[in-house]
């Protein structure tokens, strides 16, 4: 069983390494420096941070061309699932540190001249762009200039125990919408410095100018939840003193929840499993003092658990066959846990049999570390998973390590 488990893991990991080199090549276009638009294919990374360069393929079989912000005026993805456009622009980027502990004391923004690929969020009389480095920046182009919306945190005093906010973006929006009677100052005051709010107010303005409004096929990716049903089997071994325990097999039913992290090309996720786990361990141990005096000890442990697992997941390929790796932790509660130990003490020809437990009590909470590898095939997820947990011992000096190998099938809705 152990060999089968590790062979399954090796096979899945090897397949993952083979597919990892695959790229996501999607239909798209580039805008040349003379503003000509040329169709082709782009190695799409579902960028969380705006790219500094892209790999462009004039045709699928061509070698890629690496193009940066100075090589082209922009590019776009025109795939059915992903539809994005980026424009190369020279802008003044606000560069004040915004991480706690690194904030400054100056309310005023600090700018640096940069040439960047800006992602188009909304387009019309005003065009809204987004740029992400270590934080999100929003720019608005009114046809004559491109200006960053200012939102800056800063310390109020030297003790750094109070933070204030420069929310000048609201005044900037008021100036941009000054001739738009459909948008009031009170409405702008309610706009938070979040992508959804800013898109909504800019789009309202652009839609009031129908001759210039250009709908953008923009999709704000959100956290995706996928539920599933689990059925599998396990093989577990117990390490306790020098007792020779037989391995235990069991059935694993359960449910799962996979949360897919936005803008990760569905590669990053957090997986939660709630499953039933059980074991029965039987083993013997001989404490021999001499040929005439020895003790045979027969141990039996029976446990039934409800286990919650939380794992970080990385999926390697965006294809019909998707290998993945899991790494995480588990916590299990035993709703049934008992020990039955028999001592056979022999002295010369006399044997005394007694039954009493080695442990005064058993610990009902069990924590473990998980690692696994699997394949996603349509709605099915097949996984080989290993687990090492600390078992049920209540005595610090005595360990009851449980090692498990699981083969699981998960059907996702």
């Amino acid at each position: 069983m152990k060999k089968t488990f590790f062979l399954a893991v090796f096979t899945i990991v090897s397949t993952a390494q083979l597919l990892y080199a695959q790229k996501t090549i999607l239909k798209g276009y580039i805008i040349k420096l003379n503003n000509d638009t040329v169709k082709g294919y782009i190695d799409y990374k579902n960028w969380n941070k705006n790219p500094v360069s892209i790999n462009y393929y004039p045709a699928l079989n061509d070698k890629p061309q690496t193009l940066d912000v100075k090589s082209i005026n922009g590019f776009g993805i025109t795939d059915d699932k992903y539809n994005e456009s980026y424009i190369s622009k020279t802008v003044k980027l606000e560069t004040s540190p915004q991480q706690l502990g690194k904030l400054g004391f100056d309310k005023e923004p600090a700018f640096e001249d940069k040439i960047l690929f800006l992602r188009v969020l909304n387009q019309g009389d005003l065009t809204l762009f987004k740029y992400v480095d270590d934080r999100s920046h929003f720019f608005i182009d009114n046809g004559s200039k491109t200006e960053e919306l200012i939102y800056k945190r800063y310390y109020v005093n030297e003790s750094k125990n109070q933070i204030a906010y420069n929310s000048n973006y609201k005044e900037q929006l008021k100036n941009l919408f000054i001739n738009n009677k459909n948008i009031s100052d009170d409405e702008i005051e309610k706009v938070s410095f979040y992508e959804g709010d800013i898109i909504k107010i800019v789009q309202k303005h652009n839609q009031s100018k129908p001759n210039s409004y250009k709908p953008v096929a923009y999709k704000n990716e959100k956290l995706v939840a996928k539920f599933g049903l689990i059925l599998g089997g396990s093989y577990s071994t117990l390490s306790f003193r020098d007792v020779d325990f037989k391995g235990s097999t069991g059935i694993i039913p359960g449910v799962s929840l996979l949360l897919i992290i936005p803008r990760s090309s569905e590669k990053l996720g957090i997986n939660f499993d709630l499953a039933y786990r059980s074991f029965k361990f039987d083993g013997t141990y001989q404490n021999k003092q001499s040929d005439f005096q020895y003790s045979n000890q027969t141990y039996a442990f029976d446990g039934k658990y409800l286990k919650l697992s939380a794992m970080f997941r990385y999926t390697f390929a965006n294809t019909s066959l998707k290998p993945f790796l899991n790494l995480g932790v588990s916590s299990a509660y035993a709703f049934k846990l008992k020990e039955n130990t028999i001592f056979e003490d022999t002295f010369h020809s006399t044997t005394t049999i007694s039954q009493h437990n080695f442990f005064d009590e058993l610990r009902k909470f069990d924590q473990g570390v998980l690692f696994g590898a699997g394949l996603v095939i349509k709605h099915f997820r097949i996984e080989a998973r290993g687990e090492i947990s600390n078992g049920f011992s209540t005595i610090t000096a005595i360990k009851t390590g449980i090692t498990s190998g699981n083969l699981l099938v998960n059907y996702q809705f």
Side-chain angles (χ1 to χ4, degrees), residues 77-285:
I77 310 296
T78 57
D79 183 73
D80 291 338
K81 187 174 183 180
Y82 300 102
N83 198 311
E84 300 178 4
S85 60
Y86 293 79
I87 300 297
S88 175
K89 274 190 172 292
T90 300
V91 296
K92 291 186 179 298
L93 181 71
E94 209 288 312
T95 56
S96 302
Q98 291 296 282
Q99 299 94 337
L100 288 177
K102 296 183 179 180
L103 299 180
F105 299 95
D106 190 356
K107 175 182 179 180
E108 297 304 317
F111 294 102
E112 290 184 17
D113 291 331
K114 299 279 188 179
I115 304 176
L116 306 171
F117 279 133
L118 303 180
R119 184 183 178 195
V120 179
L121 297 185
N122 206 272
Q123 196 168 9
D125 182 63
L126 300 174
T127 300
L128 175 64
F129 300 101
K130 182 179 181 180
Y131 178 76
V132 180
D133 44 22
D134 58 349
R135 58 186 166 113
S136 294
H137 304 257
F138 298 98
F139 294 84
I140 290 186
D141 188 308
N142 65 359
S144 60
K145 66 175 181 178
T146 304
E147 185 178 49
E148 181 175 355
L149 297 178
I150 300 303
Y151 180 76
K152 178 184 176 181
R153 302 191 299 176
Y154 60 94
Y155 287 125
V156 174
N157 49 43
E158 294 292 336
S159 60
K160 299 182 179 181
N161 61 2
Q162 187 176 357
I163 296 174
Y165 297 84
N166 177 348
S167 300
N168 191 54
Y169 73 94
K170 294 181 180 180
E171 294 302 319
Q172 292 172 282
L173 292 175
K174 290 176 184 178
N175 291 330
L176 289 166
F177 304 149
I178 193 168
N179 296 320
N180 192 325
K181 297 180 180 180
N182 296 320
I183 301 176
S184 67
D185 288 353
D186 288 341
E187 188 175 357
I188 294 173
E189 284 295 332
K190 296 177 182 178
V191 175
S192 301
F193 196 76
Y194 291 107
E195 184 174 314
D197 277 11
I198 295 175
I199 289 176
K200 185 177 179 180
I201 197 73
V202 173
Q203 180 168 289
K204 183 175 181 179
H205 169 81
N206 284 336
Q207 288 177 333
S208 69
K209 312 280 185 178
N211 293 332
S212 63
Y213 179 55
K214 300 177 182 178
V216 175
Y218 170 72
K219 181 181 179 182
N220 183 17
E221 292 189 35
K222 298 180 180 179
L223 195 70
V224 176
K226 293 186 177 181
F227 296 91
L229 298 176
I230 300 171
L231 185 62
S234 67
Y235 179 82
S236 303
T237 59
L238 173 63
S239 175
F240 167 58
R241 303 180 77 192
D242 293 324
V243 181
D244 183 19
F245 284 100
K246 298 178 182 178
S248 174
T249 59
I251 301 297
I252 305 176
V255 294
S256 69
L257 171 63
L258 174 62
L259 301 177
I260 300 175
I261 298 174
R263 296 202 65 78
S264 65
S265 296
E266 299 184 2
K267 291 183 178 181
L268 301 180
I270 301 173
N271 188 81
F272 298 94
D273 290 348
L274 183 63
Y276 168 79
R277 162 193 166 192
S278 64
F279 61 70
K280 285 185 178 181
F281 294 116
D282 298 295
T284 58
Y285 171 74

Side-chain angles (χ1 to χ4, degrees), residues 298-299 339-343 345 353-359:
T298 302
Y299 294 89
E339 174 191 354
N340 184 20
T341 301
I342 299 174
F343 291 82
D345 298 312
I353 300 176
S354 61
Q355 183 174 343
H356 59 87
N357 292 339
F358 181 87
F359 294 99

Side-chain angles (χ1 to χ4, degrees), residues 14-26 42-45 55 57 265 267 314-323 375:
S14 300
T15 305
Q17 290 177 335
L18 180 65
L19 294 178
Y20 177 70
Q22 293 185 356
K23 297 178 173 62
T24 305
I25 310 299
L26 301 180
I42 292 173
D43 183 8
Y44 180 60
K45 304 294 186 183
N55 287 328
Y57 299 77
S265 296
K267 291 183 178 181
Y314 185 87
T315 302
F316 285 88
N318 190 16
T319 61
S320 58
L321 185 65
K322 300 177 183 178
L375 293 172

